[in-house]
Amino acid sequence: EGSSRPLITKMSMRAMEEKLAGHRLTRIHRSYIVHVDKITSIRRDLVVIGKTELPLSDSFRPRLEELLHL
C-alpha cells in the first residue's frame, strides 16, 4: 500500500478536494483530507485511522457521515 507520509502541495485544499472527488476521499478538517475506507473509528471530534487521531470539524462531519452511511 501507499506511504503514510503527509502529502505536501501548493494546491489549495479546496482544489485538492475537487481533484479527489469520487475517490472515497473527504475533507474532515481545514487541514485534512482522508480516505474514508481507512477510517478505524470516529469519536466526538476525532477521526481515528489506525493509531493516528485527526481532528474532525463540525462543518465537515455531515459529509463524512453521509459517506459512511451513518
Side-chain angles (χ1 to χ4, degrees):
E1 295 205 5
S3 167
S4 61
R5 294 186 325 236
L7 175 65
I8 299 172
T9 179
K10 292 184 186 234
M11 186 181 298
S12 73
M13 286 295 279
R14 179 165 308 279
M16 183 70 71
E17 253 185 304
E18 290 170 6
K19 276 209 176 290
L20 297 172
H23 293 278
R24 305 238 345 123
L25 291 146
T26 192
R27 194 161 177 184
I28 60 165
H29 184 271
R30 184 176 68 85
S31 304
Y32 296 98
I33 296 174
V34 301
H35 195 288
V36 174
D37 297 338
K38 301 291 183 183
I39 295 173
T40 307
S41 66
I42 299 173
R43 298 192 198 136
R44 179 177 301 175
D45 59 350
L46 293 174
V47 169
V48 181
I49 298 176
K51 295 181 180 179
T52 303
E53 295 181 340
L54 301 171
L56 172 60
S57 297
D58 289 340
S59 58
F60 295 108
R61 179 182 282 279
R63 175 68 180 139
L64 177 61
E65 289 177 348
E66 179 184 319
L67 286 170
L68 293 173
H69 308 292
L70 298 177

